[in-house]
Amino acid sequence: MIDPVTPEATTYAMPPARFEAGTPPIAQAVGLAKACDYLADIGMDAIATYEASLAAQLEAGLRRIPGITVYGPRGRDVP
């Protein structure tokens, strides 16, 4: 990165700022913080329960399809 730039001279920043390119991802950091807040509001236990129910539905549906073999643990044995 560069500190001031004039038609006569350029002054470079001190390392490590000198080697950092562009603007930090501020919008992404704010978005990540909001996503973490959203997950915290729902509750991780509720999310895990919902995810387990989706996995059980998927497994049951796949096992009903002829010719499909599902490998791995069944039901709640899935980590």
Side-chain angles (χ1 to χ4, degrees), residues 33-50:
K34 284 298 193 182
C36 291
D37 291 343
Y38 176 74
L39 293 176
D41 288 345
I42 294 173
M44 295 308 290
D45 290 338
I47 293 170
T49 300
Y50 183 66

Side-chain angles (χ1 to χ4, degrees), residues 12-57:
Y12 292 97
M14 296 299 296
R18 172 185 293 186
F19 307 110
E20 295 174 357
T23 305
I26 296 168
Q28 293 86 338
V30 171
L32 177 61
K34 284 298 193 182
C36 291
D37 291 343
Y38 176 74
L39 293 176
D41 288 345
I42 294 173
M44 295 308 290
D45 290 338
I47 293 170
T49 300
Y50 183 66
E51 182 182 0
S53 73
L54 288 177
Q57 290 176 20

